Amino acid sequence: MYCPSCGADGVISDSNIIDTRLAVDGRSTTRRRVCKANAEHKFHTTESLRHEDLKDTFVRRASDKQITERYSATRLRRDLRTAVLGRLPDEEINQIIADIEGDLQERLAGLVQPLSVEEREHHSSGSYAAAIVDTDIRQATELRLRQASDRSVHVLYALGIRGRVDTPGRAGLRNAQGFLEWLYSPGAYSDLKRAIPSQPARPLDRWWPDVVTPHPTHVIKKSGEARAFGLQQFTNSIEMALVGRHRPVDNAQLVAAWVLAHLAGQRKVLSAQLSAGVTSTLRRVDDIAYLRWATVAKNFQSVREIADEAHDLVVRPSPRLVFDHREAPRTVPANSAL
């Protein structure tokens, strides 16, 4: 860096760095320099990251500051599609992704953080080494979803992303009360705010399935069409509601087993029976997964409906159901309700 004092006199003189300090946010560096020709000439420079393309950045996890991966529109699209549980058509999802990327790209210079030497050695191929924090991506996504044709998708996304408990260093939304605290917070839907009640004591059931879970052979759709029952398809649909929660794959299988145990002896079942069974069971197993499932199954059309459902979940909770492998495997008792 040429000395500005010498430059004012028409002389070109280089400088040495005598001190470097990184800004608190990690997005700029201040250097103290001294002129090589005249030690009395000292000045400061501020260096900030200049970046051309979002796709070349890495993603830093806010909870533990770790670099997780290179930014990917494909990953963002997959996370969004999973979180909204089919409430948005692909055409609108693609437009939302384009808008989010446009917003992030426009603000990128103020968002990116430099990679440390160790991070650069491990992650960067040598071109440009900078990262964007995952919470910046989440905030941009939530902001855009509030403008979607279906406002409930913003809440579904928040339940899916903020509700994750599988991310190191981040607690995530634990239950319906935690969800309501977020929903009523400034910047969310504080206009809906009301007192969050305490939850009464809940009876507790423990259960572990028998070795063989019976299941029907056919499902009767709303149209009256009979289709072969697919256990894997049924389980996968439950897992979508449980994504990011504790042991989603295992718990989806256990929820399916509990529902099907209550339908044992029925070769043909209504699709409505399966949906209602999952709805009732998730209400007993996981508040956040239940709210995600119920928003779609009950076709909630407004944020207020979801808020009311969460409020009722706190005030009138269902008996708690815990899948405990220490319990003796058994079928569901005759007097046991979903």
Side-chain angles (χ1 to χ4, degrees), residues 146 150-156 179-180 182-184 188-192 295 300-310:
R146 294 193 69 159
D150 182 349
R151 291 282 298 278
S152 70
V153 298
H154 171 225
V155 179
L156 269 176
F179 165 69
L180 288 172
W182 167 79
L183 192 73
Y184 296 156
Y189 297 91
S190 56
D191 57 308
L192 301 177
T295 296
F300 292 149
Q301 295 295 309
S302 69
V303 176
R304 185 178 295 277
E305 285 184 288
I306 303 174
D308 289 343
E309 190 75 15

Side-chain angles (χ1 to χ4, degrees), residues 70-240:
R70 189 179 290 274
Y71 170 81
S72 167
T74 301
R75 169 65 184 273
L76 179 58
R77 183 177 292 103
R78 184 178 73 244
D79 287 350
L80 180 56
R81 184 178 288 115
T82 299
V84 302
L85 296 175
R87 290 297 288 262
L88 289 176
D90 283 346
E91 296 78 10
E92 187 166 359
I93 287 179
N94 290 336
Q95 183 58 58
I96 288 172
I97 295 297
D99 292 344
I100 294 169
E101 290 193 322
D103 172 46
L104 291 173
Q105 183 68 54
E106 185 176 334
R107 299 185 292 118
L108 198 60
L111 296 176
V112 289
Q113 301 177 351
L115 267 61
S116 67
V117 174
E118 294 79 9
E119 290 172 336
R120 192 178 296 113
E121 291 176 350
H122 185 69
H123 296 283
S124 178
S125 59
S127 54
Y128 189 83
I132 184 171
V133 183
D134 60 356
T135 51
D136 288 330
I137 299 174
R138 186 192 70 199
Q139 289 168 3
T141 303
E142 288 193 19
L143 182 64
R144 177 59 182 82
L145 287 176
R146 294 193 69 159
Q147 306 165 23
S149 58
D150 182 349
R151 291 282 298 278
S152 70
V153 298
H154 171 225
V155 179
L156 269 176
Y157 177 82
L159 283 165
I161 301 302
R162 293 177 180 269
R164 299 192 74 100
V165 294
D166 60 351
T167 302
R170 191 176 76 192
L173 300 175
R174 292 291 177 181
N175 50 35
Q177 290 165 303
F179 165 69
L180 288 172
E181 289 174 1
W182 167 79
L183 192 73
Y184 296 156
S185 65
Y189 297 91
S190 56
D191 57 308
L192 301 177
K193 186 173 183 177
R194 55 175 163 165
I196 300 175
S198 57
Q199 191 174 70
R202 305 169 64 180
L204 176 65
D205 289 334
R206 296 182 182 275
W207 181 76
W208 194 253
D210 206 345
V211 177
V212 178
T213 301
H215 58 79
T217 58
H218 290 83
V219 179
I220 311 301
K221 300 294 184 179
K222 291 181 180 179
S223 63
E225 178 189 3
R227 294 186 182 178
F229 175 76
L231 178 59
Q232 190 60 55
Q233 181 179 357
F234 179 52
T235 305
N236 288 346
S237 67
I238 300 170
E239 187 183 338
M240 291 292 286

Side-chain angles (χ1 to χ4, degrees), residues 247-265:
R247 301 172 59 198
V249 176
D250 292 343
N251 280 333
Q253 294 173 349
L254 291 164
V255 168
W258 175 265
V259 173
L260 295 176
H262 281 82
L263 299 175

Side-chain angles (χ1 to χ4, degrees), residues 284-304:
R284 302 184 62 181
V285 172
D286 188 299
D287 289 1
I288 302 303
Y290 166 74
L291 289 170
R292 282 171 49 73
W293 177 276
T295 296
V296 177
K298 298 184 180 184
N299 196 27
F300 292 149
Q301 295 295 309
S302 69
V303 176
R304 185 178 295 277

